[in-house]
């Protein structure tokens, strides 16, 4: 079976459900996207790895694994999303130590959080992408609506899972704040180790800076 390389487009959260996140993976040589439902902790860990400016005062679990692996000369070579059963993705982490390769089973969210920390490539099989991949190709006029479109995708994913719908305001009033206030709140969120809030603040800051 042929492997397809993926990169991380970002993390989207549901506009209708509290704590509902999806990791959006992009086909490198195509237009399909692979949305994967992940937990809040894993979303925070991935967001921190993506946002180089957010530095936790203490190592998170995935950072600890990276430190442990470095100490014992273990390298994560690649991550493969190898199976999809009843909407659940299964992944393998390909590691190497002393030129001996090992394959470790892992949750996809954990595997990707580690792949980011080791700069390791992420792959899936073409059959999985054919089954679960979606097209979300945007024209130049639709670029500003990208976040909304991805939120709709997340909502649809959770609707299929028949999870309880809870009212949620995704911007938490951030749109009324100035950039300086956002930066101050970001520093406070990181100091308090509230990485979910920090990730959302960083998203709001990035959106505003991109519009300048």
């Amino acid at each position: 079976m042929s492997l397809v390389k993926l990169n991380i487009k970002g993390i989207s959260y549901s506009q209708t459900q509290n704590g509902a996140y999806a990791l959006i993976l992009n086909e490198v040589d195509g237009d399909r996207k692979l949305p994967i439902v992940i937990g809040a902790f894993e979303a925070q860990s991935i967001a921190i790895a993506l946002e180089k400016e957010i530095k936790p005062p203490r190592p998170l679990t995935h950072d600890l694994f990276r430190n442990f692996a470095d100490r014992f000369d273990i390298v994560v070579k690649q991550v493969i999303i190898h199976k999809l059963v009843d909407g659940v993705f299964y992944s393998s982490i390909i590691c190497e130590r002393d030129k001996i390769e090992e394959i470790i089973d892992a949750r996809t969210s954990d595997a990707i959080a580690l792949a980011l920390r080791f700069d390791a490539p992420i792959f899936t099989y073409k059959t999985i992408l054919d089954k679960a991949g979606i097209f979300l190709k945007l024209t130049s006029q639709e670029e500003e609506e990208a976040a909304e479109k991805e939120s709709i995708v997340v909502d649809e994913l959770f609707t299929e899972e028949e999870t309880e719908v809870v009212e949620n305001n995704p911007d938490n009033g951030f749109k009324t704040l100035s950039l300086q206030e956002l930066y101050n709140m970001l520093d406070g969120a990181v100091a308090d180790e509230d990485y979910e809030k920090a990730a959302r603040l960083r998203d709001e800051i990035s959106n505003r800076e991109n519009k300048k």
Side-chain angles (χ1 to χ4, degrees):
M1 293 185 290
S2 60
L3 286 172
V4 178
K5 190 174 182 179
L6 304 169
N7 59 26
I8 299 174
K9 186 178 187 302
I11 298 172
S12 185
Y13 50 83
S14 172
Q15 292 189 350
T16 61
Q17 298 178 63
N18 194 17
Y21 293 88
L23 176 67
I24 310 295
L25 300 174
N26 225 37
E27 181 183 16
V28 170
D29 296 320
D31 297 319
R32 286 177 295 183
K33 291 175 174 57
L34 191 66
I36 299 175
V37 175
I38 60 175
F41 172 77
E42 290 76 17
Q44 293 172 24
S45 182
I46 292 170
I48 287 169
L50 289 171
E51 296 287 350
K52 306 299 184 182
E53 296 178 26
I54 299 177
K55 300 294 183 184
R58 295 182 295 174
L60 301 180
T61 302
H62 298 109
D63 299 317
L64 177 61
F65 182 92
R66 171 64 198 259
N67 295 339
F68 180 90
D70 287 344
R71 181 65 59 90
F72 292 96
D73 297 321
I74 300 168
V75 178
V76 172
K77 305 292 289 185
Q78 62 182 348
V79 163
I80 300 176
I81 304 170
H82 64 83
K83 186 167 66 173
L84 173 61
V85 179
D86 296 330
V88 178
F89 292 90
Y90 294 79
S91 293
S92 296
I93 301 173
I94 314 302
C95 300
E96 185 179 276
R97 181 173 184 264
D98 295 333
K99 297 183 179 180
I100 298 174
E101 192 172 272
E102 299 285 350
I103 301 175
I104 300 174
D105 181 52
R107 295 187 307 168
T108 297
S109 54
D110 289 329
I112 291 174
L114 290 175
L116 280 169
R117 286 162 171 81
F118 284 88
D119 293 321
I122 303 165
F123 297 93
T124 192
Y125 289 110
K126 183 178 181 297
T127 51
I128 292 177
L129 198 56
D130 289 342
K131 182 177 180 181
I134 61 171
F135 283 95
L136 196 63
K137 190 173 182 179
L138 303 176
T139 66
S140 57
Q141 295 179 345
E142 295 173 319
E143 286 294 336
E144 294 183 359
E145 301 173 5
E148 180 180 348
K149 287 177 179 290
E150 286 174 5
S151 294
I152 292 171
V153 169
V154 179
D155 292 339
E156 290 176 349
L157 285 173
F158 280 87
T159 299
E160 292 173 2
E161 295 291 329
E162 296 183 352
T163 52
E164 182 181 0
V165 175
V166 180
E167 285 298 321
N168 181 41
N169 180 9
D171 63 37
N172 289 316
F174 296 158
K175 293 186 184 302
T176 63
L177 302 176
S178 67
L179 263 178
Q180 187 57 54
E181 288 173 324
L182 290 173
Y183 275 113
N184 292 341
M185 287 184 67
L186 176 61
D187 291 340
V190 173
D192 294 339
E193 300 186 15
D194 187 348
Y195 301 119
E196 180 178 352
K197 183 177 180 180
R200 291 191 178 186
L201 283 162
R202 188 62 208 164
D203 286 344
E204 179 64 24
I205 291 170
S206 297
N207 287 337
R208 293 204 197 173
E209 290 180 339
N210 289 336
K211 289 179 180 179
K212 287 184 178 180

